[in-house]
Structures are given as C-alpha cells and as structure tokens.
Amino acid sequence: MHSLLLALAATPSPTDSGTLRPGLTDDQITPGIWGFLSTAFIVVLMLFLIVDMVRRLRRVRYRSQVEEERAAGETPEVREDADDAGEDGASDSAAAADGAVSEDGTSPGRGPKAPR
C-alpha cells in the first residue's frame, strides 16, 4: 500500500501538448466575452421561466380554489361577506347568499354589481 502511494506521488502530472501564446499562463485564460454573454443569456432566460412558472402556478391555484368554492355552492364574494357580516347580523349575509339585489342594482353589503 505504501509503495502504491509513493508511485502515485512520484508520477508526474500529464503535460499539455498544446501551447499558449507567449506571456500567458494557465490561470489567465478566461471564457471571454462569448462565455460571459452565453452565461448571462441563460440566467435571463431562467429568470423569465421562473416568473412564468410562478404565474402559472398561482393561476392554477386560484382556479382550483374557485372551483372548490363553486362546488361548495358559494361564490368568493359571499364567503368574504359572510366573514365580515358575522358581527353585523346574519340577515345581510343570508340575503347576499340568496342573491338578493335591491332596486339600484347592488346587493346588501356590497357595491354595484359588476357586468359579466
């Protein structure tokens, strides 16, 4: 085992067959402007992809939430009104849940009805 370690330590590292320009050393070589531009392009592309993915995930989450509320038989506005109107009285939230609309086109406890 000891002789194997000595053999590995004594073996010289392989030399490059290529040569560098005069005045350059191995640690001075960089990818240059093309390497920087390609790396910057990949970073910007990844940022756009991440922003797009977050937007799509938020949209899917919102759609599933709306679908769950629709399946439960209530709309998102009614749910918010029911939470806010719990202290004021149950009659307003019950009228809003029934879809009652006054003469001016507003539901009790809500603003004007939005066109569809």
Side-chain angles (χ1 to χ4, degrees), residues 1 28 34 39 86 103:
M1 176 83 173
Q28 292 177 330
W34 290 110
T39 303
E103 294 81 27

Side-chain angles (χ1 to χ4, degrees), residues 50-62:
I50 290 170
V51 168
D52 184 55
M53 181 187 68
V54 168
R55 186 179 62 211
R56 288 175 188 265
L57 287 173
R58 189 177 300 138
R59 187 181 307 153
V60 167
R61 187 179 308 136
Y62 176 73

Side-chain angles (χ1 to χ4, degrees), residues 4-115:
L4 178 62
L5 291 175
L6 286 176
L8 288 174
T11 307
S13 62
T15 58
D16 285 338
S17 59
T19 59
L20 297 174
R21 285 188 273 168
L24 290 179
T25 61
D26 288 335
D27 60 348
Q28 292 177 330
I29 298 188
T30 64
I33 189 71
W34 290 110
F36 172 76
L37 291 177
S38 63
T39 303
F41 175 75
I42 290 172
V43 167
V44 170
L45 182 67
M46 290 304 298
L47 287 175
F48 281 127
L49 286 174
I50 290 170
V51 168
D52 184 55
M53 181 187 68
V54 168
R55 186 179 62 211
R56 288 175 188 265
L57 287 173
R58 189 177 300 138
R59 187 181 307 153
V60 167
R61 187 179 308 136
Y62 176 73
R63 285 182 181 171
S64 67
Q65 179 184 2
V66 168
E67 200 58 40
E68 287 174 3
E69 290 174 353
R70 186 176 294 158
E74 59 184 29
T75 61
E77 294 85 17
V78 172
R79 182 176 176 198
E80 291 172 6
D81 286 341
D83 292 341
D84 294 340
E87 301 161 359
D88 297 338
S91 62
D92 289 342
S93 63
D98 292 337
V101 177
S102 63
E103 294 81 27
D104 62 350
T106 61
S107 296
R110 287 194 280 185
K113 197 171 191 179

